[in-house]
Amino acid sequence: MTDVEPADALAACQAQMTSVRKLIAHTRSPALFGRAESMNVDRVLAHALRSAVAPISFGSVKADNRPNRIAIAQRLIVAYRKALADEPSSPLRRKGEDIWTRILRDELPPLLKHIEEGNALRLADYLLEFGATRVWFGGVTTAVDHYGWTREPNLVAVLYYDKLVCLAESLGLLRLENPEQGPWGENLKTDVAALVQKIEAEIGIALVPPMGAIHTDGLTIPGGVLHYRHINSLYAALKLPRSGAICEYGGGLGLCAMYARRLGVTDYTIFDLPISNLLAGHYLIHAIGGENVSLYGEPQGRDSVKVLPYWDCLNTRDSQFAATLNQDSFPEIDDSLVDAFLRDIKRSTEGVFISLNHEAFHPRTVRHFTQRVGGFRPLARTKSWIREGYVDEVFAIDA
């Protein structure tokens, strides 16, 4: 199942800690990491690294070469081409060049070429290997990416395990550590398999993602591997109501939609960029089944995950959604688009708007945007349990 299997748990743990301590001691050393990885890696850890952590390992699972992958690629091409054809006439428009314009141009030209040529076989082959190597950008793979700025497998495993422990603390399955009274640095000694079992018993669903849907790197757990984005997405899904239709702006790969479906939410709509829709559609069709996913231009089944371009939010019904979610995007996109999205959220959502975002671009924060648009009443604001520097906010809609 995985590429890395510890032969001896104790010896592996000791070797891992030696490696991790060396890395943390030299995180500002350009000779060791180069410029990008000379950042302070341990700043993203929520827990103190003490004498040892539980025996953990880094693993990788390749995407399965499934017989239906060419037919799936053809579906993706049709939906993507329709989105590109419709975008110029959309009332909502992106302005200028954004990060995804640059990523498409500089990092993904083969992907665009296969789509433009309509070559489903080559697109399927490309997507089969997509994410098998490290990428600097995140959100659309479950490969080792920029998080923590390290390529060292042992440290990647520690970073992801740290997040899993945070998730358990958020659920009350582990007590929150206290640097003043103690304990401090003990939760990272919790056995991984036992921790996964506790979390699954608490939330009532399996934690391991669908293996083989796409290439996945991460922390080895029973049944597969867990990427940090799986943990982020499960955390977000647990904040959603379990009944009614759900909407997410900027759904990335659709990981939150996948976990929400396990939790009982079958009517889920994602609004995102056309290229993100293609990658999300690819993941979700392989992860939850093609019959449970509706792409742009296809019949929109009520009990499906609908993967749609961002401007199609204008075509939703009034009060269609019980809740709308945004994570990792509103502070990073054009102000006029954010305002338009929030105005439409007020119209289409009868329940709450949930934001899981950073405030690094202050004053361009979600709270600032909601105050500017009006009609959003803050209900809760807390620091994220699992993401250092992120804010969890819930707004009632008083439109």
Side-chain angles (χ1 to χ4, degrees):
M1 176 66 74
T2 60
D3 292 338
V4 179
E5 296 288 346
D8 177 4
L10 180 59
C13 179
Q14 292 172 339
Q16 178 190 69
M17 286 307 301
T18 299
S19 175
V20 168
R21 288 180 181 281
K22 180 179 178 182
L23 285 166
I24 291 176
H26 295 84
T27 48
R28 291 191 175 90
S29 170
L32 181 62
F33 288 110
R35 174 174 293 183
E37 292 186 316
S38 65
M39 298 177 68
N40 193 4
V41 177
D42 64 327
R43 70 181 182 178
V44 298
L45 290 173
H47 300 90
L49 280 169
R50 302 296 290 272
S51 58
V53 299
I56 57 176
S57 66
F58 174 88
S60 295
V61 177
K62 296 180 179 180
D64 293 336
N65 190 357
R66 300 173 180 178
N68 61 342
R69 62 189 182 88
I70 300 174
I72 291 172
Q74 187 59 48
R75 279 183 69 183
L76 298 171
I77 289 172
V78 171
Y80 182 83
R81 284 180 163 182
K82 176 173 173 53
L84 283 194
D86 292 350
E87 186 172 19
S89 60
S90 164
L92 296 182
R93 301 283 293 278
R94 291 178 283 170
K95 294 182 179 179
E97 183 172 277
D98 56 29
I99 187 171
W100 277 103
T101 306
R102 296 193 296 274
I103 290 174
L104 280 173
R105 182 188 64 231
D106 300 336
E107 306 291 338
L108 304 175
L111 174 61
L112 291 180
K113 180 182 178 182
H114 302 328
I115 297 170
E116 290 168 359
E117 293 177 347
N119 195 320
L121 173 59
R122 290 190 176 180
L123 177 60
D125 287 344
Y126 179 89
L127 293 174
L128 183 66
E129 299 297 326
F130 188 59
T133 57
R134 184 181 187 271
V135 295
W136 67 264
F137 53 89
V140 292
T141 75
T142 46
V144 175
D145 58 25
H146 63 289
Y147 179 63
W149 293 107
T150 179
R151 302 183 188 188
E152 169 59 43
N154 285 338
L155 186 52
V156 170
V158 171
L159 289 171
Y160 295 7
Y161 176 53
D162 179 70
K163 275 190 172 288
L164 185 65
V165 169
C166 287
L167 179 64
E169 291 170 344
S170 76
L171 295 168
L173 302 176
L174 292 174
R175 62 178 175 179
L176 182 64
E177 294 189 321
N178 189 318
E180 297 180 23
Q181 283 83 27
W184 189 238
E186 296 299 312
N187 282 355
L188 287 183
K189 298 179 181 180
T190 308
D191 178 74
V192 176
L195 190 59
V196 169
Q197 187 177 32
K198 284 184 178 181
I199 293 173
E200 290 179 340
E202 178 68 20
I203 64 178
I205 63 170
L207 197 58
V208 65
M211 291 288 95
I214 58 174
H215 179 93
T216 305
D217 296 323
L219 174 70
T220 301
I221 66 171
V225 297
L226 197 63
H227 194 271
Y228 78 92
R229 291 189 181 278
H230 292 122
I231 302 170
N232 289 350
S233 298
L234 175 57
Y235 177 76
L238 289 168
K239 293 185 173 294
L240 299 172
R242 305 293 172 86
S243 61
I246 300 297
C247 171
E248 182 179 5
Y249 282 77
L253 272 177
L255 300 178
C256 185
M258 179 271 294
Y259 278 119
R261 190 171 186 86
R262 287 187 179 181
L263 290 166
V265 178
T266 57
D267 191 343
Y268 199 105
T269 301
I270 293 172
F271 294 117
D272 210 333
L273 299 174
I275 192 61
S276 297
N277 289 163
L278 183 144
L279 296 170
H282 173 254
Y283 171 75
L284 287 166
I285 290 171
H286 282 287
I288 66 174
E291 71 280 8
N292 297 317
V293 180
S294 301
L295 303 180
Y296 187 51
E298 298 178 347
Q300 304 299 302
R302 179 174 180 177
D303 293 329
S304 68
V305 179
K306 292 157 278 292
V307 185
L308 304 172
Y310 63 92
W311 62 84
D312 209 45
C313 66
L314 300 177
N315 296 321
T316 57
R317 302 187 309 275
D318 291 354
S319 302
Q320 178 173 335
F321 302 113
T324 292
L325 168 71
N326 175 254
Q327 53 181 333
D328 286 316
S329 68
F330 277 6
E332 301 176 4
I333 62 178
D334 180 78
D335 283 28
S336 62
L337 269 182
V338 175
D339 290 352
F341 290 155
L342 288 174
R343 285 193 295 268
D344 209 69
I345 288 170
K346 288 195 299 181
R347 177 192 63 81
S348 64
T349 307
E350 65 176 355
V352 294
F353 168 51
I354 302 169
S355 168
L356 309 178
N357 281 286
H358 64 72
E359 297 187 335
F361 303 144
H362 191 273
R364 298 188 69 260
T365 66
V366 171
R367 172 157 292 211
H368 168 75
F369 294 141
T370 57
Q371 290 173 338
R372 184 171 66 194
V373 171
F376 292 87
R377 177 165 45 89
L379 294 180
R381 174 182 167 88
T382 61
K383 295 174 70 174
S384 172
W385 277 92
I386 65 167
R387 306 186 71 178
E388 295 299 300
Y390 274 68
V391 179
D392 299 347
E393 294 181 291
V394 181
F395 300 88
I397 298 174
D398 295 332

